[in-house]
Amino acid sequence: MRVAVAGGTGMVGRYVVEELAAAGQEPVVLARSRGVDLLSGGAGLDDAMEGVEAVVDVSNVTTMSAKKAVPFFDTVGRNLLDAGARAGVRHHVVLSIVGIERVGHGYYQGKLRQEDVVKEGPTPWTVLRATQFHEFVEQILDRMPKPLAVVPRMRTQPIAAREVAQHLVKLALAPAQGMAPELAGPRVEQLVDMARRLLRARQQRRPVLPVRLPGPAGAAMAGDGQLPLGPGPRGSQTFDEWLAEHVGRTTTP
């Protein structure tokens, strides 16, 4: 089966492509670096979608602004659905985030719009909400100017990106099911503690400054707003196990 992966060169997307190939499927990467512009909906998209039966959308934009996130996810979602309808796609799978309606900051407003676009579209769909990845804290630290590491107070139940990709592939190869059970990691963690453990593992001396974000969004993040509400599939790799596996190649000078 030909399965298109929107954002297939990104952190989760690369794993999705690997898992599809390992499952004997034919992944088709939809990314600007592969000549496909998801925002314009034109260049290369229809050609890439030829013969595709399922789409896995893990496209992403780096922003906390609703003014950027909402139009991005709206446009990419509509372009993928329109191209999928022309190609005869039978299943559209989207990766979303646990708790987006409870936290509601700008980026999450974009993810909610993405979900709405898919639900209103012509193609049978599955939305998988997952918790933050183990890799999330690494992204925060690497994007933060040194020497301080300003980390939001957040309770999360993190999961390895590879395990999310494995679950997405299983969903894509099965019939559409609408809102799938929420996916989370094996253990609840404090993001600030995760940051400190990552820095220790990297042997980096860098002060961590915990910050509670203002308003209802900050309160939800510091509380249970991003934890799964009910039972569902759980990843097996803990954050400490992920650290032990990855810290050697993530260490920076």
Side-chain angles (χ1 to χ4, degrees):
M1 179 191 297
R2 281 173 62 86
V3 181
V5 185
T9 58
M11 181 175 62
V12 178
R14 291 194 297 269
Y15 287 133
V16 172
V17 170
E18 290 177 8
E19 294 296 329
L20 282 168
Q25 311 302 318
E26 182 183 354
V28 179
V29 176
L30 306 180
R32 187 177 291 113
S33 62
R34 304 297 178 89
V36 179
D37 188 342
L38 296 174
L39 279 172
S40 75
L45 184 54
D46 279 337
D47 288 343
M49 292 287 285
E50 185 175 352
V52 165
E53 297 181 52
V55 171
V56 178
D57 184 4
V58 289
S59 58
N60 194 29
V61 59
T62 304
T63 183
M64 291 290 286
S65 166
K67 291 183 178 179
K68 295 180 180 179
V70 171
F72 174 86
F73 286 113
D74 182 278
T75 300
V76 169
R78 293 182 190 280
N79 287 339
L80 283 171
L81 286 165
D82 289 345
R86 292 190 293 270
V89 167
R90 297 183 294 181
H91 191 185
H92 190 100
V93 180
V94 170
L95 176 62
S96 191
I97 307 170
V98 169
I100 52 177
E101 77 286 3
R102 287 172 276 156
V103 176
H105 64 59
Y107 178 81
Y108 285 7
Q109 292 176 41
K111 296 298 289 183
L112 283 169
R113 176 64 64 84
Q114 181 186 41
E115 290 186 5
D116 289 341
V117 167
V118 171
K119 292 173 185 178
E120 296 165 1
T123 306
W125 56 273
T126 299
V127 170
L128 173 66
R129 287 185 174 185
T131 52
Q132 281 71 31
F133 313 136
H134 294 324
E135 291 87 346
F136 179 58
V137 67
E138 181 180 56
Q139 292 177 322
I140 291 177
L141 292 178
D142 290 346
R143 292 169 183 167
M144 189 74 59
K146 296 179 180 179
L148 281 179
V150 180
V151 180
R153 293 190 182 276
M154 177 192 296
R155 293 186 75 219
T156 181
Q157 196 167 330
I159 183 170
R162 179 177 288 280
E163 291 187 313
V164 175
Q166 291 168 348
H167 200 71
L168 285 167
V169 169
K170 290 179 183 177
L171 291 173
L173 300 181
Q177 58 177 283
M179 296 298 297
E182 293 180 335
L183 176 65
R187 183 179 303 168
V188 175
E189 301 274 6
Q190 293 282 354
L191 189 64
V192 171
D193 292 339
M194 294 169 64
R196 289 178 174 139
R197 280 142 66 192
L198 175 58
L199 288 170
R200 282 198 300 269
R202 287 178 165 185
Q203 299 182 348
Q204 293 178 339
R205 294 190 176 185
R206 188 175 175 189
V208 174
L209 178 62
V211 175
R212 176 164 169 167
L213 299 183
M221 290 172 66
D224 295 341
Q226 297 191 265
L227 301 181
L229 290 175
R234 299 292 181 259
S236 61
Q237 188 177 49
T238 67
F239 179 66
D240 288 327
E241 289 169 343
W242 177 87
L243 269 182
E245 179 181 347
H246 288 271
V247 72
R249 48 184 169 177
T250 60
T251 300
T252 56

